[in-house]
Amino acid sequence: MIDGDAVAALRDERLDWRFQAVPAAAHGRTVGEYLAERPVLGDLGTPLLTLDASALDHNLALMARYADKAGVELAPHGKTTMAPQLWKAQLDAGAWGITLANLPQLRVARAFGVRRLLLANALLDPAGLAWIAAELDRDPAFEFLSWADSVRTAELMDAALRDAGASRPVDVCVELGARDGRTGARTLGEAEAVAAAIRAAPTLRLAGVAGYEGTLAHDASDAALDIVDGYLRRFAELFGRLSFEVDAPVASAGGSAYFDQVVDVLGGLPSARVLLRSGAYLIHDDGFYQGISPLARAEGERFRSAMHGWGRVVSRPERALALADAGKRDLPFDEGLPVPQLVRGRGAAPVENAHVSALADQHAFLRDADVAVGDIVRFGLSHPCTAMDKWQLVPVISSAGDPEPAVVDLVRTWF
């Protein structure tokens, strides 16, 4: 499902100034050589983003068990991490394939030999379609699935693939949307017309129905859950109306916020391969997903945040204000500001009543914290999708709760 040798070869990359998380003392060594020296968190500078190995392992196993028990499959959204090492872990844990959002991301996945790719988007670029056609011809084991939400989309795809001389048809899902949502056909009639256009195109094959419920609601209130439920029931109705050209048609929905409802509504569709595209579950967070994840709203095991930010207090210009050296260029802020959790070596007490009031490009404004210049603060973060994209190499530590966490891996990203 992924080229293990290509992933393993990442340990041979030499460390240098390109990777802001790596100390200068490690420059010139390969990743493997550096890890063999058994570095610890204290060897790394600030600002810093880390992943937590124990939480990653927990989340990986928990989601795999959930999908297996629910009778659905995972095609986790790889754009969350853009890290082939983490994709391999997900695939090794039983994921059906990897979901991506655009052509550059697809190229990264193919460079690492991922053989099942779902593009949660329409692909209309003629050069991109020619490349996909060539990849399908070159690798008989390669499976690719795209989306279309209009007749025009199907016509443009067909024309580009004909010009490219495609010999294998491209599998396409009809994308169903909803009013005030993102992309997707707005009515069942429009979606049926798209399906007919796909079936009529010799270079395309109608392979399922897809959509994204996450843009329709943004919390776990009863009203929000009802909106998602209504959309999914329309999705199921559309699926039942269509005649597909594959033996196991795909029904794909389910981000990281409402995948339980996807299971409840779509899990019983006859002959369907239900693919959840949850991307944030592996890293999770201490913010948005902590509050909205289905496993946070139910009894039983929960995901754990596997990411933390670290910043050093560099200024204390006022009694109630401290500035840490981690800002917008380092940590996510679109779904909530970082939350101070503890001071390394001093525990949670110095920041238990503190908060971050704002982020500048390179600074966090820390209010009401009992900290001194030189203290290192650990921050809880919200939204892994906008955390990983700031770092080309992310240290993985044994556990953020260890007194002196060991650096056990370095995760390479491609954004």
Side-chain angles (χ1 to χ4, degrees):
M1 294 293 291
I2 191 169
D3 186 342
D5 290 339
V7 174
L10 293 174
R11 294 176 70 89
D12 298 328
E13 186 167 18
R14 294 217 169 263
L15 301 172
D16 57 29
W17 52 266
R18 292 171 298 161
F19 308 117
Q20 69 265 45
V22 176
H27 291 181
R29 296 173 176 79
T30 67
V31 170
E33 289 168 346
Y34 176 63
L35 294 175
E37 295 174 0
R38 301 181 181 275
V40 296
L41 179 63
D43 296 329
L44 307 179
T46 56
L48 184 65
L49 176 77
T50 61
L51 297 178
D52 186 312
S54 64
L56 289 173
D57 291 345
H58 170 83
N59 296 344
L60 187 72
L62 179 55
M63 192 62 176
R65 290 195 301 271
Y66 178 92
D68 184 63
K69 184 177 179 180
V72 299
E73 296 182 85
L74 292 174
H77 213 321
K79 60 94 177 173
T80 302
T81 65
M82 287 306 297
Q85 290 154 275
L86 299 181
W87 296 348
K88 183 178 186 300
Q90 292 170 306
L91 292 166
D92 288 349
W96 175 88
I98 297 295
T99 297
L100 293 166
N102 61 30
L103 186 62
Q105 294 171 7
L106 292 174
R107 291 188 179 123
V108 173
R110 287 302 290 158
F112 284 87
V114 181
R115 289 192 168 179
R116 280 187 182 148
L117 292 174
L118 190 162
L119 179 67
N121 209 337
L123 180 56
L124 294 176
D125 173 42
L129 285 163
W131 175 75
I132 284 292
E135 287 293 290
L136 288 167
D137 288 347
R138 181 181 64 82
D139 184 357
F142 177 38
E143 299 178 41
F144 175 73
L145 193 64
S146 184
W147 292 6
D149 71 352
S150 71
V151 171
R152 177 67 170 160
T153 300
E155 292 172 346
L156 288 172
M157 291 183 70
D158 180 51
L161 289 166
R162 286 181 188 233
D163 289 345
S167 60
R168 286 178 61 188
V170 172
D171 286 343
V172 181
C173 287
V174 177
E175 183 190 359
L176 181 67
R179 182 179 177 181
D180 299 325
R182 197 166 60 189
T183 53
R186 291 313 199 236
T187 70
L188 298 187
E190 290 172 353
E192 288 180 292
V194 177
I198 294 169
R199 290 182 62 92
T203 63
L204 307 179
R205 189 167 64 165
L206 182 61
V209 177
Y212 180 50
E213 73 293 339
T215 60
L216 306 179
H218 302 284
D219 56 48
S221 66
D222 289 343
L225 299 180
D226 285 346
I227 290 171
V228 171
D229 189 70
Y231 167 74
L232 292 171
R233 295 196 182 282
R234 290 177 58 243
F235 186 114
E237 182 180 351
L238 174 63
F239 189 93
R241 289 187 185 186
L242 299 181
S243 177
F244 300 100
E245 298 178 280
V246 296
D247 293 334
V250 165
S252 180
S256 297
Y258 306 106
F259 58 77
D260 56 335
Q261 290 177 269
V262 174
V263 168
D264 290 343
V265 178
L266 304 185
L269 289 175
S271 76
R273 181 189 296 276
V274 179
L275 292 179
L276 303 181
R277 303 192 309 277
S278 311
Y281 76 88
L282 182 60
I283 293 178
H284 198 52
D285 67 13
D286 281 310
F288 178 73
Y289 287 112
Q290 181 190 54
I292 202 171
S293 167
L295 299 192
R297 294 184 268 114
E299 297 294 328
E301 287 189 279
R302 299 184 176 193
F303 296 128
R304 303 173 189 165
S305 178
M307 66 175 181
H308 297 91
W310 306 82
R312 192 182 312 266
V313 176
V314 293
S315 177
R316 185 74 188 270
E318 301 171 14
R319 184 182 63 81
L321 172 64
L323 284 300
D325 64 351
K328 291 180 180 178
R329 302 296 180 92
D330 315 299
L331 305 178
F333 57 93
D334 60 316
E335 290 287 356
L337 294 173
V339 176
Q341 294 181 326
L342 56 80
V343 175
R344 285 206 67 205
R346 295 178 58 199
V351 294
E352 61 187 7
N353 298 312
H355 69 283
V356 172
S357 62
L359 289 183
D361 279 359
Q362 315 292 172
H363 293 95
F365 288 71
L366 187 59
R367 304 281 180 175
D368 301 321
D370 180 19
V371 294
V373 171
D375 282 346
I376 297 176
V377 180
R378 188 185 85 192
F379 294 96
L381 305 176
S382 180
H383 204 200
C385 297
T386 51
M388 297 290 286
D389 64 347
K390 295 170 174 55
W391 297 83
Q392 290 182 301
L393 200 65
V394 184
V396 182
I397 58 177
S398 53
S399 172
D402 291 346
E404 184 59 278
V407 178
V408 297
D409 204 356
L410 297 172
V411 167
R412 186 73 155 88
T413 68
W414 274 268
F415 283 95

